[in-house]
Amino acid sequence: MKEAFAGIKKIEYEGPESKNPLSFKHYNPDQIVEGKTMFDHLRFSVAYWHAFRNGCGDQFGGPTRLMPWDDGSGSIENAQNRVRAAFEFFQKLGVGFYCFHDRDVAPEGATLAESNKNLDEVVKVLKEEQKRTGVKLLWGTACLFAHPRFMHGAATSCNADVFAFAAAQVAKAMEVTKELDGEGYVFWGGREGYKTLLNTDMKRELDHLAKFLHMAVDYKKQIGFKGQFYIEPKPKEPTKHQYDSDAAACFAFLQKYDLVHHLKLNIEANHATLAGHTFIHELEFAAANGILGSVDANRGDLLLGWDTDQFPTDLYDCTFSMLTILNMGGFTTGGLNFDAHVARESFEPVDLFHAHIGGMDTFARGLKAAAAIRRDGVLKNFVTERYASWDSGIGADIEKGKVGFKELSAYMLKKGEATANKSGRVEMLENLINEYL
Ligand code: XLS
Ligand code: NI
Ligand code: NI
């Protein structure tokens, strides 16, 4: 097979002074930060669906992207060649991981058996290419939203047969992920929600979703898959309301249905802003509850109300997200998966490199800035001092559960007024952070 990205050599680190757009200015995979290489901290992954399947059509016009790896036949052979093109890209870019949906890599057949067979044919090549290049599977997943059968949802469909189909499809996707040594498996509730409550039994649908996930947990044991399960929150699109709407809704759901020890969260930046939160809020909430697993790294557009899935270029966001990730001790099974596509007008194959290079460099800068902020202790010291009243005296007594309303009433009646507050120094801290960027 001839090269898909002919004329593009391996992207190298050339440092901040370089003027070569096809080089890294900040991402230096071997550079040690807090005792670990950048490569191991950031665990970059390419999303197969956006990078190799998305032609960037929209509601007003067809696809624009030149994708020399597609011959338009929809054949298995073409699907296999596309895998080879993808691994050429992963290797030239120097990422350690990729992610895919079952239907991204292999065409859907007329029956489930045929689809499974198609998948097996392509998985053979994925396996070969993983072995040849050392690139690994960060996570696998199943596409339970594109085919018309999923119009009412998959695990939350009103049609029990569709639930059964989805279960069979996920079982196969899990087997394949295991076969490829995937480090995780993602559940994104593509159509698990509703268009209108007029036709929806919400309680029943939520119970079914939980049942589905419990079945997946059981099947994981049965087949001996050791990877981490994740739920990926998103508030809307394609449905008006998705049940996994944000990190807090997922956490409540997981707790209610006794699933919290089996699934962590895959937080996507653009989904956070769609939910009316910041990316950092979602990460902090997940980390605070011990369920931050992995990240879909992208960016939305504040003026647009949908999932624009742009490449991450916001230094502020990347710094703060790396701060949360470093504070939790770094990724274990997770990583930074670029769930992002190039702009419709960036139609040439080289644009895929520019897009990923930008995302990788921005996160590398964020990592360095976050490590410097941690090294100097500027935020940590301020926060520790801000909560000092809880470290001794009445604060410590409250935290230890030594006092109740009765004792606190006696304490405050005697004291008369609370100790004076101190400034939160919001602007001073914001200014301080800018010094690190
Ligand atoms: C869509 C989601 C999807 C998941 C994987 O908005 O981000 O791409 O990451 O199913
Ligand atoms: Ni995603
Ligand atoms: Ni998305």
Side-chain angles (χ1 to χ4, degrees):
M1 205 186 99
K2 70 175 196 333
E3 273 183 296
F5 300 91
I8 300 175
K9 291 199 283 289
K10 172 130 188 4
I11 309 300
E12 303 288 354
Y13 171 71
E14 293 183 5
E17 304 306 320
S18 170
K19 295 280 175 270
N20 173 10
L22 290 176
S23 73
F24 294 117
K25 317 287 183 298
H26 298 276
Y27 178 59
N28 182 3
D30 301 324
Q31 188 177 327
I32 305 286
V33 178
E34 292 200 12
K36 225 160 72 173
T37 63
M38 281 196 173
F39 184 87
D40 287 337
H41 269 293
L42 297 165
R43 293 169 62 85
F44 288 128
S45 157
V46 172
Y48 202 94
W49 53 100
H50 279 316
F52 290 91
R53 300 310 312 271
N54 187 347
C56 289
D58 63 23
Q59 275 168 306
F60 299 92
T64 56
R65 279 181 70 201
L66 301 176
M67 302 202 284
W69 47 84
D70 269 356
D71 64 13
S73 67
S75 68
I76 301 294
E77 200 196 340
N78 186 200
Q80 292 172 327
N81 283 334
R82 190 189 294 119
V83 168
R84 297 184 183 106
F87 276 78
E88 179 194 326
F89 177 72
F90 304 157
Q91 224 181 4
K92 285 182 170 173
L93 187 64
V95 289
F97 298 93
Y98 73 109
C99 296
F100 70 88
H101 300 83
D102 48 3
R103 301 297 179 254
D104 304 333
V105 293
E108 176 129 12
T111 61
L112 180 63
E114 210 177 282
S115 298
N116 288 351
K117 194 167 155 275
N118 292 349
L119 189 54
D120 287 336
E121 292 301 314
V122 180
V123 165
K124 272 187 220 153
V125 183
L126 287 167
K127 206 169 174 180
E128 271 168 35
E129 289 294 283
Q130 285 188 193
K131 200 158 167 228
R132 182 180 70 77
T133 61
V135 174
K136 296 180 195 161
L137 178 59
L138 188 67
W139 47 261
T141 188
C143 176
L144 304 179
F145 44 88
H147 193 281
R149 85 174 66 80
F150 298 120
M151 63 173 69
H152 303 297
T156 63
S157 175
C158 48
N159 179 346
D161 249 15
V162 172
F163 180 111
F165 193 105
Q169 194 180 323
V170 168
K172 179 68 182 176
M174 282 169 59
E175 289 163 26
V176 157
T177 301
K178 177 183 181 246
E179 168 82 12
L180 294 169
D181 282 326
E183 301 198 7
Y185 185 92
V186 162
F187 294 88
W188 170 58
R191 289 185 192 275
E192 313 294 26
Y194 57 81
K195 171 76 179 171
T196 170
L197 284 171
L198 295 175
N199 65 12
T200 303
D201 186 338
M202 190 195 277
K203 176 168 189 317
R204 210 163 179 184
E205 292 200 358
L206 286 166
D207 288 348
H208 293 167
L209 183 57
K211 195 148 249 136
F212 192 90
L213 292 172
H214 272 291
M215 288 179 184
V217 168
D218 291 344
Y219 197 63
K220 185 181 172 193
K221 273 192 215 115
Q222 284 169 35
I223 64 172
F225 173 51
K226 298 276 183 294
Q228 174 66 48
F229 273 174
Y230 310 101
I231 286 201
E232 182 177 323
K234 183 175 185 181
K236 54 188 168 191
E237 199 200 19
T239 68
K240 173 195 169 78
H241 177 95
Q242 308 253 140
Y243 293 130
D244 305 334
S245 55
D246 64 3
C250 287
F251 187 48
F253 173 86
L254 293 173
Q255 287 182 102
K256 173 179 176 193
Y257 290 102
D258 200 19
L259 284 158
V260 80
H261 301 297
H262 301 292
L263 292 105
K264 288 187 174 175
L265 299 187
N266 179 39
I267 299 292
E268 177 165 325
N270 202 163
H271 297 181
T273 51
L274 284 179
H277 304 305
T278 60
F279 178 31
I280 319 308
H281 168 87
E282 290 292 85
L283 293 173
E284 276 290 322
F285 180 86
N289 291 291
I291 53 167
L292 176 54
S294 200
V295 169
D296 270 7
N298 62 11
R299 166 175 61 105
D301 184 318
L302 290 182
L303 300 183
L304 303 176
W306 68 92
D307 201 14
T308 57
D309 285 349
Q310 292 160 249
F311 276 82
T313 51
D314 184 319
L315 195 46
Y316 223 81
D317 257 7
C318 292
T319 300
F320 279 103
S321 51
M322 287 318 298
L323 201 53
T324 303
I325 290 161
L326 290 179
N327 286 344
M328 85 163 180
F331 287 124
T332 47
T333 53
L336 295 170
N337 172 49
F338 291 112
D339 194 351
H341 61 81
V342 291
R344 191 165 181 271
E345 48 270 64
S346 303
F347 63 92
E348 293 180 0
V350 68
D351 289 309
L352 199 57
F353 280 95
H354 292 307
H356 284 86
I357 289 169
M360 291 163 81
D361 261 349
T362 314
F363 268 101
R365 287 177 75 172
L367 170 64
K368 288 190 280 187
I373 291 167
R374 275 162 55 88
R375 179 198 60 214
D376 296 348
V378 287
L379 288 182
K380 190 157 182 282
N381 294 346
F382 187 88
V383 174
T384 306
E385 175 54 30
R386 187 162 181 249
Y387 290 85
S389 68
W390 294 90
D391 295 333
S392 60
I394 198 72
D397 287 348
I398 297 172
E399 282 196 351
K400 286 190 193 117
K402 280 193 187 162
V403 291
F405 274 13
K406 197 166 147 251
E407 293 75 15
L408 292 178
S409 298
Y411 166 79
M412 211 26 92
L413 283 170
K414 189 167 162 222
K415 195 163 177 182
E417 182 51 87
T419 308
N421 280 316
K422 290 181 189 156
S423 168
R425 300 267 185 262
V426 176
E427 295 77 8
M428 183 198 83
L429 293 171
E430 287 173 345
N431 299 346
L432 196 79
I433 292 305
N434 277 355
E435 296 303 314
Y436 287 85
L437 304 183

Short mmCIF file of all heavy atoms in Angstrom, two decimals, residues 285-334:
data_model
loop_
_atom_site.label_atom_id
_atom_site.label_comp_id
_atom_site.label_asym_id
_atom_site.label_seq_id
_atom_site.Cartn_x
_atom_site.Cartn_y
_atom_site.Cartn_z
N PHE A 285 -14.98 17.69 39.96
CA PHE A 285 -16.07 16.95 40.61
C PHE A 285 -15.79 15.45 40.55
O PHE A 285 -15.94 14.73 41.54
CB PHE A 285 -17.43 17.25 39.96
CG PHE A 285 -18.56 16.51 40.62
CD1 PHE A 285 -19.19 17.03 41.73
CD2 PHE A 285 -18.94 15.25 40.17
CE1 PHE A 285 -20.21 16.32 42.38
CE2 PHE A 285 -19.94 14.52 40.80
CZ PHE A 285 -20.58 15.06 41.91
N ALA A 286 -15.36 14.99 39.38
CA ALA A 286 -15.07 13.57 39.23
C ALA A 286 -13.88 13.17 40.11
O ALA A 286 -13.93 12.16 40.82
CB ALA A 286 -14.79 13.24 37.76
N ALA A 287 -12.84 13.99 40.11
CA ALA A 287 -11.65 13.67 40.91
C ALA A 287 -12.00 13.66 42.40
O ALA A 287 -11.57 12.76 43.14
CB ALA A 287 -10.53 14.67 40.62
N ALA A 288 -12.80 14.64 42.83
CA ALA A 288 -13.16 14.73 44.26
C ALA A 288 -13.92 13.48 44.71
O ALA A 288 -13.89 13.12 45.88
CB ALA A 288 -14.02 15.97 44.49
N ASN A 289 -14.60 12.82 43.78
CA ASN A 289 -15.37 11.62 44.13
C ASN A 289 -14.69 10.33 43.70
O ASN A 289 -15.32 9.26 43.69
CB ASN A 289 -16.78 11.73 43.54
CG ASN A 289 -17.58 12.81 44.25
OD1 ASN A 289 -17.93 12.66 45.42
ND2 ASN A 289 -17.80 13.92 43.59
N GLY A 290 -13.43 10.45 43.32
CA GLY A 290 -12.64 9.25 42.99
C GLY A 290 -13.07 8.55 41.72
O GLY A 290 -12.82 7.36 41.55
N ILE A 291 -13.72 9.27 40.79
CA ILE A 291 -14.18 8.60 39.57
C ILE A 291 -13.68 9.27 38.30
O ILE A 291 -14.26 9.10 37.23
CB ILE A 291 -15.73 8.47 39.52
CG1 ILE A 291 -16.40 9.82 39.73
CG2 ILE A 291 -16.23 7.45 40.54
CD1 ILE A 291 -17.89 9.82 39.39
N LEU A 292 -12.59 10.04 38.40
CA LEU A 292 -12.03 10.61 37.17
C LEU A 292 -11.14 9.56 36.51
O LEU A 292 -10.13 9.15 37.07
CB LEU A 292 -11.22 11.89 37.48
CG LEU A 292 -10.51 12.51 36.28
CD1 LEU A 292 -11.47 12.78 35.12
CD2 LEU A 292 -9.83 13.82 36.67
N GLY A 293 -11.54 9.11 35.33
CA GLY A 293 -10.78 8.05 34.68
C GLY A 293 -10.01 8.50 33.47
O GLY A 293 -8.82 8.23 33.34
N SER A 294 -10.69 9.18 32.54
CA SER A 294 -10.05 9.51 31.27
C SER A 294 -10.66 10.80 30.74
O SER A 294 -11.64 11.30 31.29
CB SER A 294 -10.24 8.36 30.28
OG SER A 294 -9.30 8.42 29.24
N VAL A 295 -10.06 11.34 29.67
CA VAL A 295 -10.50 12.64 29.16
C VAL A 295 -10.66 12.60 27.64
O VAL A 295 -9.79 12.07 26.95
CB VAL A 295 -9.46 13.73 29.54
CG1 VAL A 295 -9.75 15.03 28.81
CG2 VAL A 295 -9.47 13.97 31.05
N ASP A 296 -11.77 13.14 27.15
CA ASP A 296 -11.91 13.42 25.72
C ASP A 296 -11.55 14.88 25.54
O ASP A 296 -12.31 15.79 25.91
CB ASP A 296 -13.34 13.13 25.23
CG ASP A 296 -13.48 11.68 24.74
OD1 ASP A 296 -12.52 10.91 24.92
OD2 ASP A 296 -14.54 11.33 24.19
N ALA A 297 -10.35 15.09 24.99
CA ALA A 297 -9.77 16.43 24.92
C ALA A 297 -10.26 17.11 23.65
O ALA A 297 -9.97 16.67 22.54
CB ALA A 297 -8.25 16.32 24.91
N ASN A 298 -11.01 18.18 23.85
CA ASN A 298 -11.45 18.99 22.71
C ASN A 298 -11.88 20.35 23.23
O ASN A 298 -11.51 20.75 24.35
CB ASN A 298 -12.55 18.28 21.91
CG ASN A 298 -13.80 18.01 22.71
OD1 ASN A 298 -13.98 18.51 23.83
ND2 ASN A 298 -14.71 17.23 22.16
N ARG A 299 -12.67 21.06 22.47
CA ARG A 299 -13.06 22.42 22.85
C ARG A 299 -14.34 22.73 22.10
O ARG A 299 -14.50 22.33 20.94
CB ARG A 299 -11.94 23.36 22.41
CG ARG A 299 -12.24 24.85 22.39
CD ARG A 299 -10.97 25.63 22.06
NE ARG A 299 -10.43 25.29 20.76
CZ ARG A 299 -10.52 26.06 19.66
NH1 ARG A 299 -11.10 27.22 19.73
NH2 ARG A 299 -10.02 25.66 18.52
N GLY A 300 -15.25 23.44 22.75
CA GLY A 300 -16.47 23.87 22.07
C GLY A 300 -16.31 25.31 21.62
O GLY A 300 -15.23 25.87 21.67
N ASP A 301 -17.40 25.87 21.16
CA ASP A 301 -17.42 27.28 20.80
C ASP A 301 -18.48 27.92 21.66
O ASP A 301 -19.65 27.51 21.61
CB ASP A 301 -17.76 27.42 19.31
CG ASP A 301 -17.69 28.87 18.85
OD1 ASP A 301 -18.15 29.77 19.59
OD2 ASP A 301 -17.18 29.11 17.75
N LEU A 302 -18.08 28.89 22.46
CA LEU A 302 -19.02 29.47 23.43
C LEU A 302 -20.23 30.13 22.76
O LEU A 302 -21.27 30.31 23.39
CB LEU A 302 -18.30 30.48 24.32
CG LEU A 302 -17.31 29.87 25.31
CD1 LEU A 302 -16.67 30.94 26.17
CD2 LEU A 302 -17.99 28.82 26.19
N LEU A 303 -20.11 30.45 21.49
CA LEU A 303 -21.23 31.09 20.82
C LEU A 303 -22.19 30.07 20.19
O LEU A 303 -23.26 30.43 19.72
CB LEU A 303 -20.73 32.04 19.73
CG LEU A 303 -19.83 33.18 20.23
CD1 LEU A 303 -19.44 34.10 19.09
CD2 LEU A 303 -20.52 33.99 21.31
N LEU A 304 -21.78 28.81 20.16
CA LEU A 304 -22.60 27.78 19.51
C LEU A 304 -23.07 26.77 20.56
O LEU A 304 -22.31 26.40 21.44
CB LEU A 304 -21.79 27.06 18.42
CG LEU A 304 -21.21 27.97 17.33
CD1 LEU A 304 -20.36 27.16 16.37
CD2 LEU A 304 -22.31 28.68 16.57
N GLY A 305 -24.30 26.33 20.40
CA GLY A 305 -24.87 25.46 21.43
C GLY A 305 -24.77 23.98 21.14
O GLY A 305 -25.57 23.20 21.64
N TRP A 306 -23.84 23.56 20.30
CA TRP A 306 -23.73 22.13 20.06
C TRP A 306 -22.30 21.66 20.19
O TRP A 306 -21.39 22.44 20.51
CB TRP A 306 -24.35 21.74 18.71
CG TRP A 306 -23.64 22.24 17.49
CD1 TRP A 306 -22.67 21.59 16.79
CD2 TRP A 306 -23.86 23.49 16.81
NE1 TRP A 306 -22.27 22.35 15.72
CE2 TRP A 306 -22.97 23.51 15.70
CE3 TRP A 306 -24.70 24.58 17.02
CZ2 TRP A 306 -22.91 24.59 14.82
CZ3 TRP A 306 -24.64 25.65 16.13
CH2 TRP A 306 -23.76 25.65 15.05
N ASP A 307 -22.11 20.37 19.96
CA ASP A 307 -20.82 19.71 20.20
C ASP A 307 -19.92 19.95 18.98
O ASP A 307 -19.92 19.14 18.05
CB ASP A 307 -21.12 18.21 20.37
CG ASP A 307 -20.03 17.47 21.10
OD1 ASP A 307 -19.17 18.12 21.69
OD2 ASP A 307 -20.07 16.22 21.09
N THR A 308 -19.22 21.06 18.98
CA THR A 308 -18.42 21.38 17.79
C THR A 308 -17.14 20.56 17.72
O THR A 308 -16.50 20.51 16.67
CB THR A 308 -18.08 22.89 17.73
OG1 THR A 308 -17.39 23.25 18.94
CG2 THR A 308 -19.33 23.73 17.58
N ASP A 309 -16.73 19.94 18.84
CA ASP A 309 -15.57 19.03 18.85
C ASP A 309 -14.35 19.62 18.14
O ASP A 309 -13.76 18.98 17.26
CB ASP A 309 -15.93 17.68 18.21
CG ASP A 309 -16.79 16.81 19.11
OD1 ASP A 309 -16.94 17.14 20.30
OD2 ASP A 309 -17.31 15.79 18.63
N GLN A 310 -13.97 20.83 18.53
CA GLN A 310 -12.77 21.45 17.95
C GLN A 310 -11.53 20.98 18.72
O GLN A 310 -11.63 20.53 19.86
CB GLN A 310 -12.90 22.98 18.05
CG GLN A 310 -13.98 23.54 17.15
CD GLN A 310 -14.44 24.93 17.58
OE1 GLN A 310 -15.56 25.10 18.04
NE2 GLN A 310 -13.57 25.91 17.44
N PHE A 311 -10.39 21.16 18.10
CA PHE A 311 -9.16 20.76 18.79
C PHE A 311 -8.84 21.73 19.93
O PHE A 311 -9.08 22.93 19.80
CB PHE A 311 -7.99 20.66 17.80
CG PHE A 311 -7.98 19.33 17.10
CD1 PHE A 311 -8.80 19.11 16.01
CD2 PHE A 311 -7.22 18.28 17.60
CE1 PHE A 311 -8.85 17.88 15.40
CE2 PHE A 311 -7.27 17.04 17.00
CZ PHE A 311 -8.07 16.84 15.89
N PRO A 312 -8.31 21.21 21.04
CA PRO A 312 -8.03 22.06 22.19
C PRO A 312 -6.84 22.98 21.96
O PRO A 312 -5.75 22.52 21.63
CB PRO A 312 -7.74 21.06 23.32
CG PRO A 312 -7.29 19.82 22.63
CD PRO A 312 -7.97 19.80 21.30
N THR A 313 -7.05 24.29 22.10
CA THR A 313 -5.96 25.24 21.93
C THR A 313 -5.95 26.27 23.06
O THR A 313 -5.20 27.24 23.01
CB THR A 313 -6.11 26.02 20.61
OG1 THR A 313 -7.43 26.55 20.56
CG2 THR A 313 -5.88 25.13 19.40
N ASP A 314 -6.82 26.06 24.05
CA ASP A 314 -6.94 27.05 25.12
C ASP A 314 -5.97 26.69 26.24
O ASP A 314 -6.14 25.70 26.95
CB ASP A 314 -8.41 27.03 25.62
CG ASP A 314 -8.66 28.09 26.66
OD1 ASP A 314 -7.80 28.31 27.54
OD2 ASP A 314 -9.74 28.71 26.62
N LEU A 315 -4.98 27.56 26.40
CA LEU A 315 -3.91 27.28 27.36
C LEU A 315 -4.41 27.27 28.81
O LEU A 315 -3.95 26.48 29.63
CB LEU A 315 -2.82 28.34 27.17
CG LEU A 315 -1.47 28.07 27.79
CD1 LEU A 315 -0.99 26.66 27.51
CD2 LEU A 315 -0.47 29.08 27.24
N TYR A 316 -5.35 28.13 29.09
CA TYR A 316 -5.91 28.21 30.43
C TYR A 316 -6.56 26.87 30.80
O TYR A 316 -6.29 26.29 31.85
CB TYR A 316 -6.96 29.33 30.45
CG TYR A 316 -6.90 30.19 31.67
CD1 TYR A 316 -5.97 31.22 31.77
CD2 TYR A 316 -7.79 30.00 32.73
CE1 TYR A 316 -5.92 32.03 32.89
CE2 TYR A 316 -7.75 30.81 33.85
CZ TYR A 316 -6.82 31.82 33.93
OH TYR A 316 -6.78 32.61 35.03
N ASP A 317 -7.42 26.39 29.90
CA ASP A 317 -8.12 25.11 30.11
C ASP A 317 -7.15 23.95 30.25
O ASP A 317 -7.32 23.07 31.10
CB ASP A 317 -9.01 24.81 28.89
CG ASP A 317 -10.46 25.09 29.18
OD1 ASP A 317 -10.76 25.65 30.25
OD2 ASP A 317 -11.30 24.76 28.31
N CYS A 318 -6.14 23.94 29.39
CA CYS A 318 -5.20 22.81 29.41
C CYS A 318 -4.35 22.85 30.67
O CYS A 318 -4.00 21.81 31.23
CB CYS A 318 -4.32 22.81 28.15
SG CYS A 318 -5.29 22.44 26.68
N THR A 319 -4.02 24.04 31.16
CA THR A 319 -3.23 24.15 32.39
C THR A 319 -4.06 23.65 33.57
O THR A 319 -3.59 22.83 34.38
CB THR A 319 -2.80 25.61 32.63
OG1 THR A 319 -2.02 26.02 31.51
CG2 THR A 319 -2.00 25.74 33.91
N PHE A 320 -5.28 24.14 33.66
CA PHE A 320 -6.09 23.74 34.82
C PHE A 320 -6.48 22.27 34.79
O PHE A 320 -6.55 21.62 35.83
CB PHE A 320 -7.32 24.64 34.96
CG PHE A 320 -6.98 25.93 35.63
CD1 PHE A 320 -6.83 27.09 34.91
CD2 PHE A 320 -6.73 25.95 37.00
CE1 PHE A 320 -6.46 28.27 35.53
CE2 PHE A 320 -6.37 27.13 37.63
CZ PHE A 320 -6.23 28.30 36.89
N SER A 321 -6.71 21.74 33.59
CA SER A 321 -7.04 20.32 33.56
C SER A 321 -5.83 19.49 33.97
O SER A 321 -5.96 18.52 34.72
CB SER A 321 -7.58 19.90 32.20
OG SER A 321 -6.74 20.31 31.17
N MET A 322 -4.63 19.90 33.54
CA MET A 322 -3.44 19.15 33.93
C MET A 322 -3.17 19.29 35.44
O MET A 322 -2.67 18.37 36.07
CB MET A 322 -2.22 19.57 33.11
CG MET A 322 -2.24 19.09 31.67
SD MET A 322 -2.80 17.38 31.42
CE MET A 322 -1.58 16.45 32.34
N LEU A 323 -3.56 20.43 35.99
CA LEU A 323 -3.41 20.63 37.43
C LEU A 323 -4.27 19.61 38.19
O LEU A 323 -3.81 18.94 39.11
CB LEU A 323 -3.83 22.06 37.77
CG LEU A 323 -3.34 22.68 39.07
CD1 LEU A 323 -1.83 22.59 39.22
CD2 LEU A 323 -3.76 24.16 39.13
N THR A 324 -5.52 19.47 37.76
CA THR A 324 -6.40 18.49 38.40
C THR A 324 -5.85 17.08 38.23
O THR A 324 -5.86 16.27 39.17
CB THR A 324 -7.82 18.56 37.79
OG1 THR A 324 -8.30 19.89 37.92
CG2 THR A 324 -8.78 17.62 38.47
N ILE A 325 -5.37 16.79 37.04
CA ILE A 325 -4.87 15.43 36.76
C ILE A 325 -3.60 15.15 37.57
O ILE A 325 -3.46 14.08 38.16
CB ILE A 325 -4.69 15.25 35.23
CG1 ILE A 325 -6.07 15.20 34.56
CG2 ILE A 325 -3.88 13.99 34.92
CD1 ILE A 325 -6.08 15.48 33.08
N LEU A 326 -2.71 16.13 37.65
CA LEU A 326 -1.50 15.93 38.48
C LEU A 326 -1.88 15.81 39.95
O LEU A 326 -1.34 14.96 40.67
CB LEU A 326 -0.52 17.10 38.30
CG LEU A 326 0.21 17.20 36.96
CD1 LEU A 326 1.12 18.44 36.95
CD2 LEU A 326 1.03 15.95 36.65
N ASN A 327 -2.82 16.65 40.39
CA ASN A 327 -3.23 16.60 41.80
C ASN A 327 -3.82 15.24 42.17
O ASN A 327 -3.70 14.79 43.31
CB ASN A 327 -4.25 17.69 42.12
CG ASN A 327 -3.62 19.07 42.18
OD1 ASN A 327 -2.39 19.21 42.29
ND2 ASN A 327 -4.43 20.11 42.11
N MET A 328 -4.46 14.56 41.20
CA MET A 328 -5.03 13.25 41.54
C MET A 328 -3.99 12.14 41.39
O MET A 328 -4.30 10.97 41.59
CB MET A 328 -6.31 12.97 40.74
CG MET A 328 -6.10 12.38 39.39
SD MET A 328 -7.61 11.64 38.72
CE MET A 328 -6.94 11.07 37.13
N GLY A 329 -2.78 12.51 41.00
CA GLY A 329 -1.72 11.50 40.88
C GLY A 329 -1.50 10.99 39.47
O GLY A 329 -0.82 10.00 39.25
N GLY A 330 -2.14 11.66 38.48
CA GLY A 330 -1.93 11.28 37.07
C GLY A 330 -2.90 10.21 36.61
O GLY A 330 -3.67 9.65 37.40
N PHE A 331 -2.86 9.96 35.31
CA PHE A 331 -3.72 8.92 34.73
C PHE A 331 -3.21 7.53 35.11
O PHE A 331 -2.00 7.34 35.28
CB PHE A 331 -3.69 9.00 33.20
CG PHE A 331 -4.44 10.16 32.62
CD1 PHE A 331 -3.80 11.06 31.78
CD2 PHE A 331 -5.80 10.34 32.88
CE1 PHE A 331 -4.50 12.13 31.21
CE2 PHE A 331 -6.50 11.41 32.32
CZ PHE A 331 -5.84 12.30 31.49
N THR A 332 -4.11 6.59 35.23
CA THR A 332 -3.69 5.19 35.35
C THR A 332 -4.03 4.50 34.03
O THR A 332 -3.17 4.35 33.17
CB THR A 332 -4.34 4.50 36.56
OG1 THR A 332 -5.72 4.80 36.60
CG2 THR A 332 -3.70 4.97 37.85
N THR A 333 -5.31 4.15 33.84
CA THR A 333 -5.70 3.53 32.56
C THR A 333 -6.10 4.58 31.53
O THR A 333 -6.16 4.29 30.34
CB THR A 333 -6.92 2.61 32.77
OG1 THR A 333 -7.94 3.37 33.43
CG2 THR A 333 -6.55 1.42 33.60
N GLY A 334 -6.40 5.80 31.97
CA GLY A 334 -6.94 6.82 31.07
C GLY A 334 -5.87 7.56 30.30
O GLY A 334 -4.68 7.24 30.37
#
